[in-house]
Amino acid sequence: MAKDGLKQYVAKDAAQFTDRVKYVWEEGVDIALDQWDSFQKLEPKFQAAIAGGAAFLVLIVVVVILVARGPAEIPVIASYDQTGVLGENFMVVENDSEEPLLNLTLVVDNAYIFQIPELTPYGQAKIRLSQFHHLVGNLEEGATVTEAFRPQTIVVHLDDTTKTIELVKRKKGFFERWLGGG
């Protein structure tokens, strides 16, 4: 019984909604046709000015939409891992695209830096933490780092684009280290 009442109410509301949409559509079409008639009655120089202004506004909107999208994100995945039998600490950076990535710069915890000249498509670079250098200046290298530090974040630089990744350390178990499991 309650379902029948609900169906009738929804059907009545849907019919009213359809009537409202039809009315708004008809009014919109009438207004557009009236404006078109008024536009056609104007002198050609005014028509050209209005058309040029409308084209300029459309161009501005297209440019704003393209700029608002911003640069594409760098297609990399990074993790911090203990994978060696002796418990060495590694950073693993993977290329998650079909294109090679050239001249990647990795900055860990805003204090340590490493540069990868090329990362092949869907390839990965496994970097021991001892290969990182202290960050001296604007992406410049200093002395190498000891294995003692524990990274929290990594910022990947590629041309003018950067990507920040929060690192989670995964410590492998005894059997995983010895048997090489996932």
Side-chain angles (χ1 to χ4, degrees):
M1 182 77 165
K3 283 186 178 181
D4 292 333
L6 181 62
K7 285 181 182 178
Q8 289 175 352
Y9 179 75
V10 169
K12 178 183 165 193
D13 195 40
Q16 287 177 349
F17 178 74
T18 304
D19 290 340
R20 287 185 203 136
V21 169
K22 190 183 296 182
Y23 173 75
V24 168
W25 175 255
E26 289 172 357
E27 288 299 314
V29 169
D30 286 342
I31 290 171
L33 290 175
D34 289 342
Q35 293 299 321
W36 180 249
D37 289 339
S38 298
F39 177 75
Q40 287 180 330
K41 292 177 185 175
L42 292 174
E43 293 180 29
K45 63 181 178 183
F46 290 124
Q47 289 178 349
I50 291 172
F56 183 68
L57 288 176
V58 168
L59 179 65
I60 289 174
V61 168
V62 168
V63 167
V64 166
I65 289 172
L66 291 176
V67 169
R69 285 185 30 200
E73 186 176 86
I74 301 172
V76 295
I77 302 168
S79 62
Y80 168 54
D81 209 347
Q82 276 191 332
T83 57
V85 175
L86 302 175
E88 299 100 341
N89 295 321
F90 288 92
M91 294 294 290
V92 179
V93 179
E94 298 179 41
N95 182 352
D96 198 27
S97 74
E98 296 176 355
E99 301 294 324
L101 300 176
L102 303 174
N103 301 321
L104 285 174
T105 302
L106 312 176
V107 177
V108 177
D109 293 344
N110 291 325
Y112 310 105
I113 187 170
F114 185 81
Q115 295 181 334
I116 301 173
E118 181 179 2
L119 194 55
T120 60
Y122 299 108
Q124 69 173 226
K126 194 174 188 180
I127 310 148
R128 288 190 321 273
L129 293 183
S130 61
Q131 291 179 284
F132 279 82
H133 297 271
H134 286 284
L135 181 61
V136 176
N138 187 14
L139 302 179
E140 295 175 7
E141 297 178 351
T144 58
V145 178
T146 64
E147 287 274 333
F149 86 94
R150 301 293 178 248
Q152 302 296 314
T153 60
I154 185 169
V155 179
V156 181
H157 296 272
L158 178 65
D159 300 327
D160 293 335
T161 310
T162 61
K163 179 179 183 180
T164 302
I165 302 170
E166 296 291 325
L167 297 172
V168 177
K169 180 179 177 184
R170 180 175 178 268
K171 200 170 187 177
K172 291 193 175 190
F174 176 78
F175 289 110
E176 286 179 311
R177 281 187 277 160
W178 280 97
L179 300 176

